[in-house]
C-alpha cells in the first residue's frame, strides 16, 4: 500500500486547526451581522410604530364615515391631511385609510397627488393584505406592525396599521402606513462588506498559526507511529523506551507496550473465535439450504393434508428433530387442533383428536394467543409448558405462529430430545420457514375454496341452461331428419338399429339434444367417426345456444323499444282522459292482446277515468 498518497498528520492537524479557526471566525462574524441586522430592523419597526400611532391620532373617524366617492369634500380633506403625514418623512411610501365589509378590505383614501401612479382608488379592494391586517382588522385596538419586510416591484418596505375611531368611540376603519426599508438594507450591506473584509484579512494569520501548532503536536505522535510500525512488522519484543512528556501520549506508549505482550494471546483467542464462527456459519448455511428445499417441496403440494404431512416429515428428517407437529386453529378460534405429526407419539395424539385451548394450554396455546414465537430451553421448568406423556423424551421445544395477513392460522411445534437445542439463529430460520408454510396453507385453502366455488358455479350454470331450454321448447322437441328423399321435420324417433350412432348434444354438462346417424350398408362406426360426430355435436350445442341468446336479446330489445316509444307518446299528452285512451289503444295493438283496459282507481266501474279497447 502506497501511504505517500495520503496527507501527513502535520498537514491534517494544520488543516483542521485552520478550518476550526476559520469556522469560528465565520460564526462570530455571522452572529455580529445577524445582531446588527436585527437591531436595524427593530429600530425600523419602532420608528414605524411611532409614526403610525401619531398619524392615527390625527385621523377624524367622523370625517372618514362621510366619504362617499373619490374627490368629494371629505375625501379631499383626508387626502390633504394624510399627504402632510406622508411627506413629513422621506422614507414613508404610502399613507392610506381602509374599511372592511362582507366582501373584504377596501381602500377609502390612499393619500396621493393628482396624476400620481400606484395610488389605490376609492373602493378598490385590497386583494393581498398582510397576515396581521387580515387577521386583526376588527379586533385591532392598538398599532400593529407586520412581522416581515415586503419586497415587490415598487421597493422594499414594512407596513403598520392603527385603528381609526369616531367621536363616539366606535372603530370605523384602519390607517395603514408603508415605510421604505431601502436605507437599512444599504446599511446592512455596508456592515456585511466590512465584516467580510476583516474576516478575509485574518485568514493568512490563521493559516500560519495552524501550521506552527500542527508541527508541535505531531512530533511525538510521529515517534509513536514508528514504534507501532515495528510492532506491526512482527517485532513483538520491541518496547517503547522514550516516553513522551504529554499525559495522553505517555499513556498511549504504555498501551503499546502492554499490547505487545498480550498480542500473542489475542491472536490465539481470535483463531478460536474464527473457528467457532465458521462452524456456526456452516451450520446456518446448511439450515438455510434445508429451509429452501422444504419451501420448494411444499410449493409443489396443493392438497392441504398432503402439504402438512410433507412439511412435518421434511423438517424432522432434514433438521434431525425429535418431533414436529402442525396445529391449525379451528373455526371458533378457541382451540389449536393437531393436524399433522412426524413422530409416533404425535400420530397417537392425532388419533385421539389432540387439541389445545388458545391462550390457556401449553406453549402452542400461548404462541397462538400472543402471535409470537416461544422457545423453551428446559421444558421441565418452563412456566407455560404443558406436559405430554406421548412425547416423554422432549427436553426443549420451539413453537412458531403461522400468520398470514395478521391472522393466526396455526402453530408449527418442533421438539428436540436435547436440552437447549434452539438458539436465536434457529428462531430466525424456522420463523422464515413458518411464514412460508403459512402462505402455502393459505394458498391450499384458497385453492380448495376456488374449486368448490367453481363446481357450484358449473352446477348452477347447468341448471339454468336446462331451465332455459325447457322453457324454449316447452313440451315438444324439435327434430329434423335427412334421408335420400330430402330434409323433413318430425318428432324424435325411438326406433334405433344396432348400427345406429347416437351422440348427445351437450351444453355446460346438460343434454339438450341428440345426433343420430345410420349407415346405408349398416357397417360399424369406428372411433374416428365417433370423435368427428362428437365435435360436430359440441359445435351444434354452442351454435344453438348462441341463437337462443340472440333471440332473447332481440326480444328484450323489442320490448324496451316498445316501452320507450309508449313513454315518449305518453309524455307528450297533457290530458288524463286522452292519456288513458292512448294507453288502451296502444296496448290493445300489441301482438296476442285481445282486450286492453286502462283505469285509475280501485274499482273500474266506479271510476270516471276508465277506457277499454277490444280487438
Amino acid at each position: 500500500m502506497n501511504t505517500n498518497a495520503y496527507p501527513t498528520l502535520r498537514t491534517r492537524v494544520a488543516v483542521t486547526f485552520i478550518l476550526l479557526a476559520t469556522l469560528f471566525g465565520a460564526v462570530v462574524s455571522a452572529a455580529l451581522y445577524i445582531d446588527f441586522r436585527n437591531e436595524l430592523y427593530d429600530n425600523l419597526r419602532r420608528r414605524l410604530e411611532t409614526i403610525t400611532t401619531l398619524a392615527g391620532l390625527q385621523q377624524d373617524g367622523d370625517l372618514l364615515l362621510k366619504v362617499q366617492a373619490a374627490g368629494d369634500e371629505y375625501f379631499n380633506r383626508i387626502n390633504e391631511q394624510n399627504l402632510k403625514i406622508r411627506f413629513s418623512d422621506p422614507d414613508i411610501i404610502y399613507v392610506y385609510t381602509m374599511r372592511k365589509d362582507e366582501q373584504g378590505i377596501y381602500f377609502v383614501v390612499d393619500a396621493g397627488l393628482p396624476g400620481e401612479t400606484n395610488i389605490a382608488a376609492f373602493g378598490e379592494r385590497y386583494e393581498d393584505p398582510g397576515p396581521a391586517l387580515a387577521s386583526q382588522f376588527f379586533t385591532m385596538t392598538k398599532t400593529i406592525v407586520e412581522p416581515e419586510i415586503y419586497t415587490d416591484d415598487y421597493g422594499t418596505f414594512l407596513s403598520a396599521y392603527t385603528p381609526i375611531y369616531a367621536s363616539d368611540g366606535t372603530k370605523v376603519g384602519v390607517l395603514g402606513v408603508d415605510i421604505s426599508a431601502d436605507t437599512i438594507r444599504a446599511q446592512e450591506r455596508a456592515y456585511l462588506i466590512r465584516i467580510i473584509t476583516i474576516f478575509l484579512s485574518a485568514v493568512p494569520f490563521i493559516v500560519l498559526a495552524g501550521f506552527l501548532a500542527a508541527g508541535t503536536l505531531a512530533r511525538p505522535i510521529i515517534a509513536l507511529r514508528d514504534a507501532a510500525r515495528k510492532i506491526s512488522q512482527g517485532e513483538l519484543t520491541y518496547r517503547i523506551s522514550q516516553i513522551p512528556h504529554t499525559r495522553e501520549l505517555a499513556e498511549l506508549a504504555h498501551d503499546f507496550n502492554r499490547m505487545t505482550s498480550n498480542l500473542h494471546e489475542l491472536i490465539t483467542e481470535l483463531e478460536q473465535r474464527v473457528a467457532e464462527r465458521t462452524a456456526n456459519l456452516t451450520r446456518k448455511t446448511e439450515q438455510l439450504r434445508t429451509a429452501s428445499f422444504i419451501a420448494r417441496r411444499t410449493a409443489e403440494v396443493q392438497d392441504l393434508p398432503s402439504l402438512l404431512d410433507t412439511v412435518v416429515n421434511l423438517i424432522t428428517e432434514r433438521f434431525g428433530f425429535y418431533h414436529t407437529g402442525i396445529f391449525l386453529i379451528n373455526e371458533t378460534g378457541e382451540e389449536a387442533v393437531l393436524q399433522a405429526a412426524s413422530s409416533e407419539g404425535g400420530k397417537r395424539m392425532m388419533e385421539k383428536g389432540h387439541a389445545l385451548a388458545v391462550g390457556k394450554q401449553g406453549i402452542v396455546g400461548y404462541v397462538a394467543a400472543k402471535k409470537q414465537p416461544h422457545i423453551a430451553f428446559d421444558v421441565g421448568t418452563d412456566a407455560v409448558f404443558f406436559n405430554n406423556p406421548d412425547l416423554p423424551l422432549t427436553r426443549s421445544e420451539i413453537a412458531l405462529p403461522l400468520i398470514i395477513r395478521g391472522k393466526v392460522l396455526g402453530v408449527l411445534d418442533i421438539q428436540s430430545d436435547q436440552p437447549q437445542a434452539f438458539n436465536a439463529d434457529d428462531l430466525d430460520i424456522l420463523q422464515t420457514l413458518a411464514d412460508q408454510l403459512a402462505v402455502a396453507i393459505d394458498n391450499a385453502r384458497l385453492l380448495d375454496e376456488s374449486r368448490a366455488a367453481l363446481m357450484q358455479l358449473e352446477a348452477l350454470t347447468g341448471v339454468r341452461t336446462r331451465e332455459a331450454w325447457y322453457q324454449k321448447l316447452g313440451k315438444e322437441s324439435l327434430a329434423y331428419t335427412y334421408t335420400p328423399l330430402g330434409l323433413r321435420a318430425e318428432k324424435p324417433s325411438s326406433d334405433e338399429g344396432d348400427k345406429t350412432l347416437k351422440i348427445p348434444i351437450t351444453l355446460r354438462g346438460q343434454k339438450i339434444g341428440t345426433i343420430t346417424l345410420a349407415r346405408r350398408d349398416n357397417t360399424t362406426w369406428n372411433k374416428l367417426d365417433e370423435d368427428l360426430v362428437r365435435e360436430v355435436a359440441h359445435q351444434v350445442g354452442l351454435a344453438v345456444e348462441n341463437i337462443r341468446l340472440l333471440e332473447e336479446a332481440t326480444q328484450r330489445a323489442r320490448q324496451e323499444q316498445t316501452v320507450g316509444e309508449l313513454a315518449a307518446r305518453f309524455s307528450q299528452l297533457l290530458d288524463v282522459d286522452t292519456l288513458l285512451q292512448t294507453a288502451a289503444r296502444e296496448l290493445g295493438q300489441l301482438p296476442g292482446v285481445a282486450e286492453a283496459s286502462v283505469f285509475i282507481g280501485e274499482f273500474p266501474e266506479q271510476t270516471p277515468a276508465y277506457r277499454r279497447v277490444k280487438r
Side-chain angles (χ1 to χ4, degrees), residues 174-193:
V174 172
L175 173 69
V177 178
D178 295 346
I179 189 169
S180 175
D182 293 338
T183 302
I184 66 169
R185 285 292 175 87
Q187 296 177 4
E188 178 185 345
R189 286 192 294 269
Y191 187 76
L192 178 61
I193 293 173

Side-chain angles (χ1 to χ4, degrees), residues 142-159:
K142 61 180 182 178
T143 302
I144 61 173
V145 181
E146 289 287 353
E148 300 293 337
I149 294 178
Y150 182 73
T151 301
D152 59 10
D153 296 337
Y154 307 109
T156 301
F157 54 88
L158 184 65
S159 301

Side-chain angles (χ1 to χ4, degrees), residues 297-314:
R297 289 290 303 274
T298 55
E300 298 172 356
V301 182
Q302 298 180 346
D303 179 60
L304 184 58
S306 301
L307 171 65
L308 300 181
D309 290 337
T310 301
V311 171
V312 295
N313 292 327
L314 286 175

Side-chain angles (χ1 to χ4, degrees), residues 266-276:
L266 293 176
I267 291 176
T268 303
E269 183 180 355
L270 181 60
E271 290 177 349
Q272 293 176 353
R273 291 182 179 180
V274 169
E276 293 176 358

Side-chain angles (χ1 to χ4, degrees), residues 39-321:
E39 183 65 23
L40 285 178
Y41 287 174
D42 290 341
N43 291 336
L44 180 64
R45 289 188 175 90
R46 288 194 293 269
R47 177 186 172 196
L48 176 60
E49 183 178 3
T50 302
I51 293 174
T52 306
T53 302
L54 294 176
L57 296 175
Q58 302 178 31
Q59 302 300 309
D60 188 346
D62 297 333
L63 199 63
L64 180 64
L65 289 175
K66 296 178 181 181
V67 177
Q68 300 298 324
D72 64 9
E73 176 186 357
Y74 309 107
F75 181 92
N76 293 333
R77 290 171 60 184
I78 295 176
N79 186 59
E80 292 175 0
Q81 178 182 349
N82 290 345
L83 278 176
K84 295 178 181 179
I85 298 173
R86 175 182 170 186
F87 294 130
S88 64
D89 193 316
D91 289 333
I92 296 178
I93 303 177
Y94 300 109
V95 178
Y96 47 92
T97 57
M98 299 169 288
R99 288 195 296 224
K100 187 175 184 180
D101 56 15
E102 296 179 354
Q103 299 179 1
I105 301 172
Y106 65 92
F107 291 95
V108 179
V109 179
D110 188 1
L113 298 173
E116 186 177 357
T117 59
N118 302 324
I119 299 299
F122 172 79
E124 182 179 341
R125 294 292 170 181
Y126 198 166
E127 299 295 340
D128 189 18
L133 176 63
S135 61
Q136 303 182 41
F137 192 91
F138 288 118
T139 60
M140 188 186 311
T141 58
K142 61 180 182 178
T143 302
I144 61 173
V145 181
E146 289 287 353
E148 300 293 337
I149 294 178
Y150 182 73
T151 301
D152 59 10
D153 296 337
Y154 307 109
T156 301
F157 54 88
L158 184 65
S159 301
Y161 313 100
T162 188
I164 301 175
Y165 295 96
S167 58
D168 58 357
T170 304
K171 186 170 69 174
V172 297
V174 172
L175 173 69
V177 178
D178 295 346
I179 189 169
S180 175
D182 293 338
T183 302
I184 66 169
R185 285 292 175 87
Q187 296 177 4
E188 178 185 345
R189 286 192 294 269
Y191 187 76
L192 178 61
I193 293 173
R194 185 163 58 252
I195 286 181
I196 293 175
T197 302
I198 296 173
F199 174 75
L200 293 178
S201 300
V203 170
F205 298 99
I206 294 174
V207 173
L208 179 60
F211 278 100
L212 292 176
T216 303
L217 294 174
R219 191 175 299 110
I221 298 177
I222 293 174
L224 291 176
R225 178 204 63 186
D226 297 335
R229 180 176 298 171
K230 293 180 180 181
I231 295 174
S232 65
Q233 292 175 352
E235 299 182 21
L236 300 180
T237 59
Y238 180 80
R239 297 295 184 271
I240 300 176
S241 58
Q242 296 181 356
I243 305 300
H245 298 288
T246 304
R247 177 185 299 177
E248 290 78 5
L249 295 179
E251 294 175 352
L252 180 60
H254 287 297
D255 291 338
F256 268 110
N257 293 334
R258 286 194 298 268
M259 179 187 67
T260 305
S261 61
N262 296 330
L263 188 58
H264 180 69
E265 296 178 2
L266 293 176
I267 291 176
T268 303
E269 183 180 355
L270 181 60
E271 290 177 349
Q272 293 176 353
R273 291 182 179 180
V274 169
E276 293 176 358
R277 293 288 179 87
T278 302
N280 291 335
L281 288 175
T282 303
R283 178 172 177 266
K284 190 170 184 178
T285 302
E286 184 62 27
Q287 288 179 339
L288 290 173
R289 186 181 296 109
T290 301
S292 177
F293 173 76
I294 294 175
R296 289 196 304 270
R297 289 290 303 274
T298 55
E300 298 172 356
V301 182
Q302 298 180 346
D303 179 60
L304 184 58
S306 301
L307 171 65
L308 300 181
D309 290 337
T310 301
V311 171
V312 295
N313 292 327
L314 286 175
I315 292 177
T316 302
E317 175 186 350
R318 293 283 177 168
F319 287 96
F321 294 126

Side-chain angles (χ1 to χ4, degrees), residues 386-436:
F386 180 74
N387 188 23
N388 192 338
D390 290 312
L391 301 171
L393 301 180
T394 300
R395 293 295 176 269
S396 56
E397 182 176 1
I398 182 172
L400 307 109
L402 304 176
I403 302 177
I404 185 74
R405 293 184 291 274
K407 179 182 179 182
V408 178
L409 302 181
V411 177
L412 174 62
D413 179 51
I414 302 174
Q415 302 181 21
S416 174
D417 55 1
Q418 300 296 324
Q420 297 183 354
F422 305 100
N423 54 35
D425 292 337
D426 297 329
L427 176 60
D428 294 338
I429 295 174
L430 293 176
Q431 184 60 63
T432 302
L433 183 59
D435 294 339
Q436 295 173 341

Side-chain angles (χ1 to χ4, degrees), residues 491-559:
K491 294 183 178 180
S493 176
S494 59
D495 184 14
E496 300 176 1
D498 296 337
K499 304 300 182 180
T500 301
L501 177 61
K502 187 176 182 180
I503 302 297
I505 301 175
T506 58
L507 183 64
R508 300 186 184 93
Q510 302 295 322
K511 180 181 177 181
I512 62 174
T514 305
I515 295 179
T516 304
L517 299 177
R519 290 187 183 277
R520 296 177 182 177
D521 52 1
N522 291 329
T523 57
T524 304
W525 298 89
N526 56 33
K527 184 66 168 56
L528 182 61
D529 296 331
E530 292 183 9
D531 293 340
L532 176 61
V533 177
R534 289 184 188 278
E535 180 62 26
V536 172
H538 175 70
Q539 297 299 327
V540 170
L542 294 177
V544 296
E545 176 68 5
N546 291 337
I547 294 174
R548 183 186 67 80
L549 294 176
L550 180 60
E551 291 177 352
E552 290 183 356
T554 303
Q555 183 179 1
R556 284 196 298 269
R558 292 174 180 172
Q559 292 176 352

